[in-house]
Amino acid sequence: MKMVVANWKMHMSGAESERFFKDLMKEVTPGGVEVVIAPSNFALYSLSKIKQWQFSLAAQNFYHMDYGAYTGETAVRQLVGVADYALVGHSERRQYFRETNKDTRRKVAAALSVGVKPILCVGETAMERENKETDDVVRDQLLAGLADVTPTQLKDVVIAYEPRWAISTAKNVGVCTPEDARSALTFIRQQLKELYGKTARVLYGGSVKSDNIVSYLKKGEADGALVGGASLQLKEFGDIIEATKAVR
Ligand code: PEP
């Protein structure tokens, strides 16, 4: 089944998140696609109480340790029963909060250890792409993030390829064509096959909208999408979900 993940980033109050989620559950009809909402961690618990049918929830971030003296952090165990998934290594975490490949390794392992499915984000910067380092960077991020993942655990891991230069809030945002996306996704699947003899779900993220989602799924061969800006508009995000359902 295709997957669409909404990354709400640091937007919306708790009440606004709840209202949006309720409206979205009314707007879209069940079936055909797994919709994952990643609200701010602050809103996660209340959304988990009202979540219905095919919706899942994701944390945008967490700390790899269990409970403890880590002021301001969300423990991986606090996600249990609340979040089905958790983003790991989103480019904004890597860029603004200096998250390293070592952090992503720990987070992926910690999430899996408590039954939360990690969505490991990988992708190169504009400069790395210019220097023809895309494959190198993506491989390093994959190898590090998955270092402690066993073949049995791979089915619970989702990979999201997000070229940083194509994220809608990037400076001088560029267009990642479905062909560009396909070549990165193919590379990721090859790496997974080399490592595990099988692949995982691989999503595309970067300025996905209702008028281009189908091309990323069909020509880009993505198993779904990670959507930032467009997931904050009810009608637009509803259209993305409906368009995804139509792709078999
Ligand atoms: C993101 O931040 O993960 C993202 C893909 O954002 P956008 O869809 O706005 O480019």
Side-chain angles (χ1 to χ4, degrees), residues 185-200:
L185 267 48
T186 303
F187 177 76
I188 289 169
R189 290 186 178 114
Q190 276 165 358
Q191 294 299 309
L192 293 173
K193 282 209 180 116
E194 270 177 36
L195 283 171
Y196 294 101
K198 57 186 170 190
T199 182

PDB file of all heavy atoms in Angstrom, residues 185-200:
ATOM      1  N   LEU A 185      16.131   6.790  -5.925  1.00  0.00           N
ATOM      2  CA  LEU A 185      15.375   5.690  -5.296  1.00  0.00           C
ATOM      3  C   LEU A 185      15.905   4.327  -5.743  1.00  0.00           C
ATOM      4  O   LEU A 185      15.993   3.381  -4.939  1.00  0.00           O
ATOM      5  CB  LEU A 185      13.878   5.818  -5.635  1.00  0.00           C
ATOM      6  CG  LEU A 185      13.014   6.579  -4.624  1.00  0.00           C
ATOM      7  CD1 LEU A 185      13.600   7.896  -4.189  1.00  0.00           C
ATOM      8  CD2 LEU A 185      11.599   6.769  -5.141  1.00  0.00           C
ATOM      9  N   THR A 186      16.278   4.241  -7.012  1.00  0.00           N
ATOM     10  CA  THR A 186      16.847   2.985  -7.515  1.00  0.00           C
ATOM     11  C   THR A 186      18.161   2.688  -6.800  1.00  0.00           C
ATOM     12  O   THR A 186      18.427   1.556  -6.386  1.00  0.00           O
ATOM     13  CB  THR A 186      17.099   3.086  -9.045  1.00  0.00           C
ATOM     14  OG1 THR A 186      15.866   3.419  -9.653  1.00  0.00           O
ATOM     15  CG2 THR A 186      17.628   1.801  -9.631  1.00  0.00           C
ATOM     16  N   PHE A 187      18.967   3.737  -6.629  1.00  0.00           N
ATOM     17  CA  PHE A 187      20.245   3.572  -5.926  1.00  0.00           C
ATOM     18  C   PHE A 187      20.005   3.075  -4.490  1.00  0.00           C
ATOM     19  O   PHE A 187      20.687   2.154  -4.013  1.00  0.00           O
ATOM     20  CB  PHE A 187      21.015   4.900  -5.933  1.00  0.00           C
ATOM     21  CG  PHE A 187      22.303   4.841  -5.175  1.00  0.00           C
ATOM     22  CD1 PHE A 187      23.408   4.208  -5.708  1.00  0.00           C
ATOM     23  CD2 PHE A 187      22.401   5.402  -3.903  1.00  0.00           C
ATOM     24  CE1 PHE A 187      24.602   4.128  -4.992  1.00  0.00           C
ATOM     25  CE2 PHE A 187      23.586   5.335  -3.185  1.00  0.00           C
ATOM     26  CZ  PHE A 187      24.692   4.696  -3.731  1.00  0.00           C
ATOM     27  N   ILE A 188      19.022   3.683  -3.830  1.00  0.00           N
ATOM     28  CA  ILE A 188      18.726   3.283  -2.440  1.00  0.00           C
ATOM     29  C   ILE A 188      18.279   1.821  -2.397  1.00  0.00           C
ATOM     30  O   ILE A 188      18.727   1.036  -1.548  1.00  0.00           O
ATOM     31  CB  ILE A 188      17.647   4.217  -1.847  1.00  0.00           C
ATOM     32  CG1 ILE A 188      18.253   5.601  -1.617  1.00  0.00           C
ATOM     33  CG2 ILE A 188      17.054   3.646  -0.552  1.00  0.00           C
ATOM     34  CD1 ILE A 188      17.267   6.691  -1.287  1.00  0.00           C
ATOM     35  N   ARG A 189      17.413   1.450  -3.321  1.00  0.00           N
ATOM     36  CA  ARG A 189      16.927   0.050  -3.327  1.00  0.00           C
ATOM     37  C   ARG A 189      18.090  -0.918  -3.590  1.00  0.00           C
ATOM     38  O   ARG A 189      18.154  -1.989  -3.002  1.00  0.00           O
ATOM     39  CB  ARG A 189      15.816  -0.119  -4.369  1.00  0.00           C
ATOM     40  CG  ARG A 189      14.539   0.598  -3.949  1.00  0.00           C
ATOM     41  CD  ARG A 189      13.389   0.321  -4.903  1.00  0.00           C
ATOM     42  NE  ARG A 189      12.177   0.988  -4.445  1.00  0.00           N
ATOM     43  CZ  ARG A 189      11.572   1.993  -5.089  1.00  0.00           C
ATOM     44  NH1 ARG A 189      12.056   2.441  -6.237  1.00  0.00           N
ATOM     45  NH2 ARG A 189      10.487   2.547  -4.587  1.00  0.00           N
ATOM     46  N   GLN A 190      19.009  -0.500  -4.479  1.00  0.00           N
ATOM     47  CA  GLN A 190      20.181  -1.366  -4.743  1.00  0.00           C
ATOM     48  C   GLN A 190      21.013  -1.543  -3.478  1.00  0.00           C
ATOM     49  O   GLN A 190      21.464  -2.645  -3.150  1.00  0.00           O
ATOM     50  CB  GLN A 190      21.083  -0.735  -5.805  1.00  0.00           C
ATOM     51  CG  GLN A 190      20.652  -1.026  -7.223  1.00  0.00           C
ATOM     52  CD  GLN A 190      21.365  -0.084  -8.199  1.00  0.00           C
ATOM     53  OE1 GLN A 190      22.140   0.783  -7.788  1.00  0.00           O
ATOM     54  NE2 GLN A 190      21.096  -0.263  -9.487  1.00  0.00           N
ATOM     55  N   GLN A 191      21.221  -0.439  -2.758  1.00  0.00           N
ATOM     56  CA  GLN A 191      22.002  -0.517  -1.514  1.00  0.00           C
ATOM     57  C   GLN A 191      21.334  -1.454  -0.511  1.00  0.00           C
ATOM     58  O   GLN A 191      21.988  -2.264   0.129  1.00  0.00           O
ATOM     59  CB  GLN A 191      22.136   0.877  -0.872  1.00  0.00           C
ATOM     60  CG  GLN A 191      22.949   1.853  -1.680  1.00  0.00           C
ATOM     61  CD  GLN A 191      24.375   1.380  -1.880  1.00  0.00           C
ATOM     62  OE1 GLN A 191      25.059   1.017  -0.930  1.00  0.00           O
ATOM     63  NE2 GLN A 191      24.824   1.350  -3.118  1.00  0.00           N
ATOM     64  N   LEU A 192      20.015  -1.334  -0.402  1.00  0.00           N
ATOM     65  CA  LEU A 192      19.284  -2.184   0.542  1.00  0.00           C
ATOM     66  C   LEU A 192      19.410  -3.649   0.142  1.00  0.00           C
ATOM     67  O   LEU A 192      19.597  -4.527   0.983  1.00  0.00           O
ATOM     68  CB  LEU A 192      17.811  -1.770   0.610  1.00  0.00           C
ATOM     69  CG  LEU A 192      17.539  -0.387   1.216  1.00  0.00           C
ATOM     70  CD1 LEU A 192      16.063  -0.012   1.073  1.00  0.00           C
ATOM     71  CD2 LEU A 192      17.934  -0.362   2.690  1.00  0.00           C
ATOM     72  N   LYS A 193      19.309  -3.881  -1.168  1.00  0.00           N
ATOM     73  CA  LYS A 193      19.421  -5.277  -1.642  1.00  0.00           C
ATOM     74  C   LYS A 193      20.804  -5.828  -1.331  1.00  0.00           C
ATOM     75  O   LYS A 193      20.943  -6.980  -0.919  1.00  0.00           O
ATOM     76  CB  LYS A 193      19.133  -5.349  -3.130  1.00  0.00           C
ATOM     77  CG  LYS A 193      17.645  -5.270  -3.398  1.00  0.00           C
ATOM     78  CD  LYS A 193      17.240  -6.012  -4.665  1.00  0.00           C
ATOM     79  CE  LYS A 193      15.739  -5.876  -4.858  1.00  0.00           C
ATOM     80  NZ  LYS A 193      15.382  -5.143  -6.060  1.00  0.00           N
ATOM     81  N   GLU A 194      21.834  -4.982  -1.529  1.00  0.00           N
ATOM     82  CA  GLU A 194      23.197  -5.447  -1.214  1.00  0.00           C
ATOM     83  C   GLU A 194      23.342  -5.766   0.267  1.00  0.00           C
ATOM     84  O   GLU A 194      23.972  -6.736   0.663  1.00  0.00           O
ATOM     85  CB  GLU A 194      24.222  -4.383  -1.595  1.00  0.00           C
ATOM     86  CG  GLU A 194      24.701  -4.543  -3.017  1.00  0.00           C
ATOM     87  CD  GLU A 194      25.669  -3.455  -3.424  1.00  0.00           C
ATOM     88  OE1 GLU A 194      26.483  -3.018  -2.589  1.00  0.00           O
ATOM     89  OE2 GLU A 194      25.593  -3.050  -4.598  1.00  0.00           O
ATOM     90  N   LEU A 195      22.736  -4.922   1.088  1.00  0.00           N
ATOM     91  CA  LEU A 195      22.876  -5.100   2.536  1.00  0.00           C
ATOM     92  C   LEU A 195      22.025  -6.231   3.079  1.00  0.00           C
ATOM     93  O   LEU A 195      22.432  -6.963   3.970  1.00  0.00           O
ATOM     94  CB  LEU A 195      22.423  -3.822   3.259  1.00  0.00           C
ATOM     95  CG  LEU A 195      23.364  -2.635   3.261  1.00  0.00           C
ATOM     96  CD1 LEU A 195      22.643  -1.413   3.826  1.00  0.00           C
ATOM     97  CD2 LEU A 195      24.575  -2.943   4.132  1.00  0.00           C
ATOM     98  N   TYR A 196      20.790  -6.320   2.550  1.00  0.00           N
ATOM     99  CA  TYR A 196      19.815  -7.226   3.180  1.00  0.00           C
ATOM    100  C   TYR A 196      19.242  -8.281   2.234  1.00  0.00           C
ATOM    101  O   TYR A 196      18.461  -9.118   2.661  1.00  0.00           O
ATOM    102  CB  TYR A 196      18.631  -6.411   3.719  1.00  0.00           C
ATOM    103  CG  TYR A 196      19.009  -5.491   4.854  1.00  0.00           C
ATOM    104  CD1 TYR A 196      19.215  -4.136   4.629  1.00  0.00           C
ATOM    105  CD2 TYR A 196      19.159  -5.981   6.143  1.00  0.00           C
ATOM    106  CE1 TYR A 196      19.556  -3.285   5.672  1.00  0.00           C
ATOM    107  CE2 TYR A 196      19.498  -5.135   7.190  1.00  0.00           C
ATOM    108  CZ  TYR A 196      19.692  -3.791   6.944  1.00  0.00           C
ATOM    109  OH  TYR A 196      20.033  -2.963   7.980  1.00  0.00           O
ATOM    110  N   GLY A 197      19.554  -8.146   0.952  1.00  0.00           N
ATOM    111  CA  GLY A 197      18.961  -9.067  -0.020  1.00  0.00           C
ATOM    112  C   GLY A 197      17.495  -8.748  -0.281  1.00  0.00           C
ATOM    113  O   GLY A 197      16.783  -9.513  -0.921  1.00  0.00           O
ATOM    114  N   LYS A 198      17.027  -7.623   0.214  1.00  0.00           N
ATOM    115  CA  LYS A 198      15.639  -7.204  -0.028  1.00  0.00           C
ATOM    116  C   LYS A 198      15.564  -5.695   0.189  1.00  0.00           C
ATOM    117  O   LYS A 198      16.497  -5.074   0.703  1.00  0.00           O
ATOM    118  CB  LYS A 198      14.689  -7.921   0.919  1.00  0.00           C
ATOM    119  CG  LYS A 198      14.992  -7.742   2.385  1.00  0.00           C
ATOM    120  CD  LYS A 198      14.091  -8.607   3.243  1.00  0.00           C
ATOM    121  CE  LYS A 198      14.600  -8.589   4.683  1.00  0.00           C
ATOM    122  NZ  LYS A 198      13.971  -9.529   5.553  1.00  0.00           N
ATOM    123  N   THR A 199      14.432  -5.133  -0.186  1.00  0.00           N
ATOM    124  CA  THR A 199      14.328  -3.684  -0.061  1.00  0.00           C
ATOM    125  C   THR A 199      13.282  -3.314   0.987  1.00  0.00           C
ATOM    126  O   THR A 199      12.697  -4.179   1.641  1.00  0.00           O
ATOM    127  CB  THR A 199      14.063  -3.049  -1.448  1.00  0.00           C
ATOM    128  OG1 THR A 199      14.015  -1.639  -1.305  1.00  0.00           O
ATOM    129  CG2 THR A 199      12.827  -3.553  -2.119  1.00  0.00           C
ATOM    130  N   ALA A 200      13.106  -2.001   1.183  1.00  0.00           N
ATOM    131  CA  ALA A 200      12.104  -1.509   2.142  1.00  0.00           C
ATOM    132  C   ALA A 200      11.245  -0.501   1.395  1.00  0.00           C
ATOM    133  O   ALA A 200      11.496  -0.227   0.221  1.00  0.00           O
ATOM    134  CB  ALA A 200      12.821  -0.838   3.315  1.00  0.00           C
TER     135      ALA A 200
END
